Amino acid sequence: MPLFTVDSNNVFGKYVEEAGTYNVIITNARLYTSNNSNKVISIDYQVLDGKYTGCPIIYADSLTWVDHPEENLTMSIKRFNSLLVACGVKDGVAIDSLEQLASALKGQKLAIEVEWKESSKDGKYYLRVLNHQKLLQDGSRSNGKTRPESGQNERQSNFGGNRGPSATGYRQQAPQTQNNGFNSQTDFNAAMPTNGQPQRPQRPQQPQQPNADDLPF
């Protein structure tokens, strides 16, 4: 019996090489506070189907909550509503806090449209999420647009540049169960660590998310 069989799909460094619209699962949602004291949720994704199955899309989507003045609060609500509706959350579900929301997002499925955007810091191009949609019934669609050329570009994906070891193999088939979303307030509460119950205020923890100024976009 052989030790293993060579498989070109099971290697290090696989990543999304084209812009497009991809069915994804949320693998992580981190809440942190920006330098100007606004709350931010940074979301990581993994592609569910198509030619980039299992590939990560990370450091590409950060949603900021700004609650003043009133017009900024209105835009914040619309911004987060767009994400939750794409995840299948039903009308009428109440969101009590961003902390609970970040915990409940992991494992939700949706589609995201991504495009190459040039960083103002290093002149390189990185994938950025343009909008959130409900899962595509006909599967992920890449559009053939690869990373634009620039004097600074190197062969890298949205891993924040060459600042650490290569990512491990991401080509494995991801589970493709139906996205049920949150059909009721009870379902949403059950996905939260506190089961929807109020918590005593806790001292802020040191955020794990890197400072927005340190990211390459």
Side-chain angles (χ1 to χ4, degrees), residues 121-187:
K121 295 184 177 181
D122 61 11
K124 299 177 184 178
Y125 286 84
Y126 301 91
L127 286 176
R128 296 291 288 168
V129 173
L130 298 183
N131 62 69
H132 308 92
Q133 308 172 19
K134 292 186 177 180
L135 283 170
L136 303 176
Q137 297 303 309
D138 54 350
S140 298
R141 300 191 298 263
S142 55
N143 63 17
K145 295 181 181 178
T146 57
R147 187 193 304 274
E149 293 296 329
S150 80
Q152 297 294 326
N153 278 347
E154 299 174 8
R155 186 173 179 79
Q156 58 187 353
S157 62
N158 283 43
F159 291 104
N162 298 326
R163 295 181 293 179
S166 299
T168 54
Y170 289 99
R171 200 65 170 183
Q172 293 81 8
Q173 180 70 27
Q176 299 189 46
T177 56
Q178 182 179 0
N179 183 30
N180 294 320
F182 303 108
N183 294 318
S184 68
Q185 185 72 51
T186 301
D187 292 342

Side-chain angles (χ1 to χ4, degrees), residues 14-27 44-58 108-112 114 127 135-136 139-142 170-176:
K14 289 291 184 180
Y15 57 89
V16 176
E17 299 183 56
E18 301 170 76
T21 305
Y22 297 97
N23 286 332
V24 295
I25 185 172
I26 296 176
T27 57
D44 295 340
Y45 303 97
Q46 187 180 61
V47 179
L48 288 172
D49 53 27
K51 64 190 293 186
Y52 296 113
T53 296
C55 291
I57 300 176
I58 63 176
Q108 295 302 310
K109 299 180 179 67
L110 68 156
I112 56 173
V114 294
L127 286 176
L135 283 170
L136 303 176
S140 298
R141 300 191 298 263
S142 55
Y170 289 99
R171 200 65 170 183
Q172 293 81 8
Q173 180 70 27
Q176 299 189 46

